[in-house]
Amino acid sequence: MKKSLILVIEGALIGILAGLTAVFYRYCLTWAEGGLYQILNFIQGNGPAIALWFVALILMGCVVAQIVRMEPMSSGSGIPQVCGEVQGELNPSWWRVILAKFVGGTMCIFGGLSLGREGPSIQLGAMAAKGYSRLLGYDKKREIHLLSCGAGAGLAAAFNAPLAGILFILEEICHTFDRAILAAGLIATVCADFVSKLFFGQSAIFSFSTATIPLQNYWLLILFGILLGLTGAFYNLVMVKTQALFQHLKKIPQEIRIAFVFVISGILGLTLPQVLAGGHSMIILLEHGNPALLTIALLLVVKFLFSALSFGSGAPGGIFFPLLILGAYCGALFGNAAMEMLPLSADLLPQFIVLGMAGLFAGIVRAPITGIVLITEMTGNMHRMLDIAVVSGIAYIVANLLGSKPIYTSLLENILCRKKEQEST
């Protein structure tokens, strides 16, 4: 009885702590993205202002490179680092990671890099829990339990998705259904979600009004799932290869490599600003606009390539939200094509967009249960779960059959490989 009570209390404390940390980070990135678009609107057609902005971008790239050099565990999304710590392979400084992630992540979004807040929120939640554990002098096993709960709470606060948060802990972080983690983690994710909703409201992240796909057209879901599995495997290959390319360019200083991506962001800000930052403007375009098929395809390709560059550079920031944006645009392309060839209602397009997000997540992350629940919670629609499960399951199977490793597994292997190289030199 006493042990159960301790689990409840500590789960709630970790949820509140991780939730507040993720909320503050979300505020920082929201401010940064808003400031970015204000600057882009101001400099349009103003030559001297454009030149000054590019100078600022180069300087930001150099500062971010210095941050990553001082705290390498702040690089990238942070999810592989959390997985590595749970496995006993990594042991970063919790306060250094939090500080570096806040400053570096905010600067990256202000500079327009195509990175998300969700992976960093997971790492920040985990590091906040680790700090709590260290301050109380807990042993390593208990620390890992609390760290896992903090990671799930970070996801819950970032997406307003408490059930996906606990499933992510079990399916992706711990790879086991531990009852103690399940109990404390569920309380932590619910508390973190409550904290997030106090600040950001109770609205779902996405506001798509979906419709039911007729059973006679379910063959489209099978086809779409296959395509998303192929796309997910291709995405993982490109992300890993791009990261390897940046790492092989050792003769080029890291400041130049990251500053180069900031300059690319500046060019895109003047020509195609929708692809910058996490991709919220791209979702708004799908929700409230009616973009042409060519526009959808263009934004999809450019967002994909820019996301690969942004993440491959090693800058602090995640791939979580950008990959959902890519999935949404895959769904928009597939849905429009299907409606061109078949007598389907236009009301089905939002459903294909939602299916694209879930299926691509399953093909890339290889956590289909988390993906199904996550997309369901993010859209606030529990009535289309069968469609989502069919597409996600097929995408997951196809990506596995192709021999593609889950993205976070590949990224963790790269981190551990670099760690061994550094220890041997």
Side-chain angles (χ1 to χ4, degrees), residues 119-181:
S121 295
I122 291 169
Q123 187 182 26
L124 288 169
M127 292 300 99
K130 183 177 182 178
Y132 170 88
S133 176
R134 288 292 171 92
L135 290 173
L136 293 181
Y138 289 161
D139 59 38
K140 193 62 181 179
K141 181 179 180 181
R142 193 166 180 181
E143 179 178 292
I144 292 300
H145 277 207
L146 295 180
L147 184 145
S148 302
C149 295
L155 176 60
F159 276 136
N160 289 354
L163 295 180
I166 183 61
L167 286 172
F168 189 79
I169 295 173
L170 301 173
E171 193 175 20
E172 183 63 26
I173 301 293
C174 299
H175 302 287
T176 181
F177 281 81
D178 185 285
R179 288 186 178 182
I181 293 177

Side-chain angles (χ1 to χ4, degrees), residues 39 42 125 158 202 244-245 278 286 368 374 386 394:
I39 288 175
F42 175 75
Q202 295 178 272
L245 175 63
L286 286 182
L374 175 66
L386 178 59
I394 292 172

Side-chain angles (χ1 to χ4, degrees), residues 178-208:
D178 185 285
R179 288 186 178 182
I181 293 177
L182 176 62
L186 183 58
I187 294 163
T189 57
V190 169
C191 289
D193 178 55
F194 183 77
V195 169
S196 177
K197 285 175 177 173
L198 283 177
F199 288 91
F200 296 105
Q202 295 178 272
S203 301
I205 300 294
F206 300 128
S207 58
F208 294 109

Side-chain angles (χ1 to χ4, degrees), residues 11 18 38 61 76 97 117 121 237 245 272 305 337 344 351 362 412 420:
Q38 285 181 357
V97 170
R117 69 172 182 262
S121 295
L237 177 66
L245 175 63
L272 203 64
L305 295 175
L344 294 174
Q351 178 66 354
L412 176 58
K420 289 180 181 178

Side-chain angles (χ1 to χ4, degrees), residues 300-356:
L300 173 61
V301 171
V302 177
K303 182 68 174 176
F304 172 72
L305 295 175
F306 186 46
S307 296
L309 277 178
S310 298
F311 187 75
S313 70
I319 58 173
F320 219 122
F321 196 80
L323 78 82
L324 294 181
I325 302 301
L326 294 174
Y329 271 68
C330 287
L333 274 180
F334 185 86
N336 275 297
M339 287 185 290
E340 285 286 334
M341 295 183 289
L342 300 171
L344 294 174
S345 169
D347 293 339
L348 291 176
L349 182 60
Q351 178 66 354
F352 282 110
I353 291 171
V354 170
L355 293 173

Side-chain angles (χ1 to χ4, degrees), residues 79-94 97 123 126-127 130 134 140 143-144 147 412 416:
I79 294 175
Q81 289 90 326
V82 174
C83 293
E85 184 150 12
V86 170
Q87 295 172 20
E89 301 283 355
L90 301 172
N91 187 27
S93 167
W94 64 270
V97 170
Q123 187 182 26
M127 292 300 99
K130 183 177 182 178
R134 288 292 171 92
K140 193 62 181 179
E143 179 178 292
I144 292 300
L147 184 145
L412 176 58
L416 297 179

Side-chain angles (χ1 to χ4, degrees), residues 216-229:
Q216 65 266 28
N217 296 122
Y218 255 51
W219 63 272
L220 285 171
L221 303 186
I222 299 173
L223 176 59
F224 194 27
I226 294 171
L227 292 175
L228 288 172

Side-chain angles (χ1 to χ4, degrees), residues 65 331 338 370:
T370 300

